[in-house]
Amino acid sequence: MIIDMYAAGIAAVFGLLGIGLYGLMTLRNLIKVILSLQIIGKAAVLAVVVAGSISGEIAVAQSMAASVIVADTLVAVIGLALAVQMQRCHGSLDLRTLSMKFHTPPEAENGG
Amino acid sequence: MNAAAWLISLPLASSPLIYLVGRLPLESRRAARWQIAWALSLAVLAGMWAVFAAAARDLAALPAAPAAVPALTVEVGALSLRINGLSLFTAALVLGISTLTVIFSGVGVLGKGGAEKYFAMILATSGAMIGMACAADLFNLWLWFEAMMIASLMLVAFAYDRPAALDAAIKYLVQNVVGSLLALMGIALVLGSAGSLRLDAVLDEAASPALLAAGALFILGFGVKCALVPLHTWLPDVYTHAPIGTAALFSGAITVSGLIAMLRALAPLGGAAEVWGSLLLGFGGLNIVAGNLLALRQKELRRLLAYSSISHIGFMLLALGVALYSHETAAAQAGLFHLINHSVMKALAFLTIGGGLYSLGMDADRPMPFRHLRGLGRSSPLAALALTLAILSLAGLPPLAGFISKWQVFEAGMASGSQAAGALTLFAALNTLLSLAYYLPVVMLLFADAPADRIAMRRPLPRLMQIPLLLLLALILLFGILPDLARLLTDPASTALLGGFGGMDTLTNLNLNGGSLWQIFY
């Protein structure tokens, strides 16, 4: 029974990772991209917890998971701050149009 | 608590302080608020240099133990740090580049306000990088790495009101977060299959599938930061659109610290060192050729330097791959020497671009199209000389630093005894010729004619900008003529690096000549 729990945990890690990577590849809205990053982050936290329970180092794994959650939240905060700024100075959250705007030849910038 | 712990706690503790000082309503007639923050960060950096010297002295005074890497151990609560030769190497690199960048930024090259944030983040990034090099277990390594990523992201996103800079910051954020999460999954694999995350003990069954997968995840994950070729796409944008000091810091320290993190994380998997060595060799070849080919088409200097960074990281990977493959400290020493030289040359090139743009009266945080280079040799000879020497050294012309370290890298590759590594080295040497095709036109442009009225408009470089340029120039010449000076740092670092992979007593040390120019030609 306990083996099945590990297998389920590992399957969930791969599932979350797959969802996150798929989202990163297909979505172009910055907020959705950040959501995908968060899903991959959850996969990593789950991987840490599963690994800790397999090797019996559950205390280590729990403290690691708590730290990862903090780091992950920081990343989300900064990403969302960038999203606010992008909406403000670009008027859209679509990453494709941001890259397009930026495809002006370098000569056009720093003109003079 | 060991004094060496201040190397990390000093910058991290003073970073918010500097920010607060920069925001305080202290009005003074003689100095703007950001200048007070600037002076304070310089003082902190000076303090860090003092601590660095003390740590280096303590490490040298340790009694020699034949089978272990000499290291100072620091325990602060639950946090444990181990300071060895590689940590000191990283600390010297990071401190040097950030000190020069901060000095350079003292003339107010940042286009808009908020310089106090900039200085605070430079210190936080430096502290996190040094912490990364001192971490004693895999998870602490990852935490420092993540802290460095977040702090450096703020540096990239500094000009957050320009779409191009935002685009660079978002690319950097997304790619590096995915990379570090993949590395974290690798750490979970190590924890699950070995139950230990210590960096100073080599795991027994390093060739088990789980640990091989963990190593592959480390290479992928940390490889995003050090721009292994399919994962490099964030780098040119960051180098082109971040503030110029950030670009110098990135090319000099942050990017290569990804490489150091990767090597440190691979150390517990040292049982499969040959696998990691061959993988790094493969990526090295790919980086060299892709970086060179992409650089050929560039019309903008900062982007060109970014692609040339990618190819130089290939040279480092080549040497370090040989080192892991054949357990050869001379190869690791060559790779680390090239790492230092690359940092010096790139920091010089980027700071000079900042100076050149400043003397043109332009925003120093913007790209540098080739046409602005015209006539720089006439209007500001120091900037032109610095840029010329930096570029010639990047191309690997004697007697500059870039030549001697490339020579050592090639020599290490040829001496490895493996045919594949030898062929790859030959290929890398041919690529050096290819790189002249994009370096030389830049140098020609510097000394081309420009309309006299545009030359007359230019401002001279202020003293504060000249100091870092002159220091870096001196280093390029010094390392080119007396390369053995760098061994003070690279010898302990390469022993610590390879000793971490286990088998401290089986390390071989080929005596590469390449010690200095005249030895080569004899």
Side-chain angles (χ1 to χ4, degrees):
Chain A
M1 192 57 209
I2 197 96
I3 303 295
D4 290 348
M5 233 174 71
Y6 294 150
I10 292 169
V13 170
F14 276 107
L16 285 172
L17 182 63
I19 293 172
L21 288 179
Y22 178 77
L24 275 186
M25 282 185 278
T26 52
L27 300 173
R28 281 296 164 263
N29 181 304
L30 182 52
I31 292 188
K32 291 180 183 165
V33 166
I34 293 168
L35 279 177
S36 310
L37 285 182
Q38 288 295 301
I39 292 174
I40 300 179
K42 297 305 162 279
V45 173
L46 190 58
V48 167
V49 173
V50 170
S53 54
I54 288 178
S55 66
E57 299 274 351
I58 194 68
V60 176
Q62 280 177 354
S63 62
M64 279 169 68
S67 326
V68 175
I69 290 170
V70 173
D72 220 25
T73 309
L74 275 179
V75 166
V77 166
I78 295 180
L80 290 173
L82 286 178
V84 170
Q85 202 54 40
M86 183 171 163
Q87 178 70 42
R88 229 177 243 165
C89 75
H90 180 60
S92 137
L93 285 174
D94 192 335
L95 291 174
R96 272 168 309 189
T97 57
L98 186 66
S99 300
M100 226 101 94
K101 189 160 186 175
F102 151 73
H103 263 292
T104 48
E107 283 81 8
E109 271 198 71
N110 219 349
Chain B
M1 183 162 130
N2 194 304
W6 288 106
L7 207 49
I8 299 159
S9 48
L10 193 61
L12 291 181
S14 60
S15 160
L17 189 71
I18 285 169
Y19 174 71
L20 284 178
V21 166
R23 305 293 287 182
L24 280 182
L26 291 170
E27 281 309 330
S28 152
R29 237 169 297 142
R30 295 179 55 195
R33 276 177 294 178
W34 72 267
Q35 279 171 322
I36 301 173
W38 174 74
L40 197 59
S41 23
L42 268 188
V44 171
L45 284 167
M48 286 167 75
W49 276 111
V51 178
F52 171 79
R57 201 193 49 219
D58 287 356
L59 189 66
L62 277 187
V69 176
L72 303 167
T73 310
V74 183
E75 304 278 345
V76 190
L79 190 71
S80 88
L81 301 167
R82 289 174 61 79
I83 295 167
N84 59 22
L86 190 61
S87 327
L88 282 189
F89 172 85
T90 316
L93 190 76
V94 168
L95 272 179
I97 302 288
S98 44
T99 309
L100 293 176
T101 307
V102 168
I103 294 177
F104 184 87
S105 306
V107 277
V109 283
L110 299 167
K112 57 193 194 64
E116 71 280 349
K117 287 177 223 154
Y118 184 74
F119 296 129
M121 281 304 145
I122 286 185
L123 281 180
T125 312
S126 312
M129 270 189 282
I130 298 174
M132 187 275 295
C134 297
D137 73 62
L138 269 175
F139 185 65
N140 271 316
L141 178 92
W142 183 85
L143 272 186
W144 288 116
F145 187 78
E146 188 81 354
M148 171 185 86
M149 207 269 303
I150 291 170
S152 60
L153 177 68
M154 310 248 198
L155 289 173
V156 176
F158 192 75
Y160 52 74
D161 46 3
R162 287 186 2 231
L166 264 183
D167 189 53
I170 291 168
K171 269 187 193 162
Y172 179 69
L173 172 81
V174 172
Q175 300 192 11
N176 281 277
V177 168
V178 174
S180 69
L181 289 174
L182 288 182
L184 181 62
M185 290 192 189
I187 294 173
L189 274 176
V190 174
L191 179 70
S193 59
S196 154
L197 292 177
R198 285 163 49 131
L199 277 175
D200 55 347
V202 177
L203 302 172
D204 297 330
E205 65 289 348
S208 78
L211 289 182
L212 284 179
L217 283 172
F218 290 156
I219 292 186
L220 271 183
F222 293 119
V224 175
K225 178 72 90 199
C226 74
L228 297 188
V229 146
L231 317 168
H232 68 281
T233 49
W234 61 272
L235 185 133
D237 289 334
V238 167
Y239 280 29
T240 314
H241 296 291
I244 196 79
T246 305
L249 199 64
F250 258 88
S251 59
I254 299 176
T255 309
V256 288
S257 74
L259 189 59
I260 292 171
M262 181 205 290
L263 291 167
R264 295 204 69 206
L266 285 175
L269 314 172
E274 289 189 7
V275 180
W276 315 132
S278 355
L279 274 175
L280 292 191
L281 273 176
F283 275 115
L286 202 60
N287 261 43
I288 292 172
V289 69
N292 272 338
L293 290 180
L294 288 166
L296 279 175
R297 307 181 44 217
Q298 303 308 320
K299 292 270 171 284
E300 195 272 320
L301 189 53
R302 289 174 71 170
R303 195 164 275 268
L304 183 145
L305 289 173
Y307 284 114
S308 107
S309 259
I310 292 174
S311 87
H312 277 270
I313 285 165
F315 286 107
M316 298 166 210
L317 287 171
L318 184 66
L320 294 167
V322 167
L324 292 194
Y325 187 81
S326 59
H327 228 57
E328 170 59 62
T329 44
Q333 189 268 334
L336 293 176
F337 184 35
H338 194 64
L339 195 156
I340 298 190
N341 282 345
H342 171 256
S343 298
V344 171
M345 302 182 291
K346 276 284 152 64
L348 177 60
F350 277 110
L351 292 185
T352 314
I353 291 175
L357 285 171
Y358 178 87
S359 85
L360 288 168
M362 287 180 198
D363 189 348
D365 294 348
R366 299 291 176 116
M368 174 75 148
F370 279 172
R371 63 196 166 84
H372 289 336
L373 293 172
R374 268 180 176 280
L376 200 65
R378 190 81 60 79
S379 61
S380 115
L382 173 68
L385 176 75
L387 200 51
T388 308
L389 285 190
I391 284 174
L392 291 183
S393 176
L394 282 168
L397 294 188
L400 302 169
F403 165 75
I404 206 91
S405 56
K406 268 188 188 172
W407 182 278
Q408 289 189 0
V409 169
F410 295 155
E411 207 172 4
M414 282 302 185
S416 68
S418 140
Q419 276 188 342
L424 206 57
T425 309
L426 203 62
F427 177 69
L430 290 176
N431 263 283
T432 302
L433 290 182
L434 177 64
S435 72
L436 286 176
Y438 56 85
Y439 287 130
L440 289 185
V442 176
V443 176
M444 308 287 269
L445 265 179
L446 282 177
F447 297 99
D449 261 344
D453 54 327
R454 290 195 57 186
I455 289 177
M457 268 168 41
R458 295 179 180 176
R459 294 186 267 183
L461 288 188
R463 189 70 50 84
L464 272 180
M465 275 185 174
Q466 290 179 3
I467 295 170
L469 298 191
L470 287 173
L471 279 175
L472 289 166
L473 257 183
L475 270 183
I476 286 186
L477 290 171
L478 197 66
F479 282 153
I481 297 166
L482 295 170
D484 283 349
L485 273 183
R487 288 188 161 238
L488 284 178
L489 281 174
T490 56
D491 270 348
S494 54
T495 320
L497 176 65
L498 283 189
F501 282 80
M504 206 34 200
D505 36 359
T506 62
L507 289 183
T508 54
N509 193 352
L510 252 177
N511 199 7
L512 296 187
N513 67 27
S516 57
L517 265 186
W518 34 93
Q519 276 173 336
I520 290 174
F521 292 117
Y522 263 123

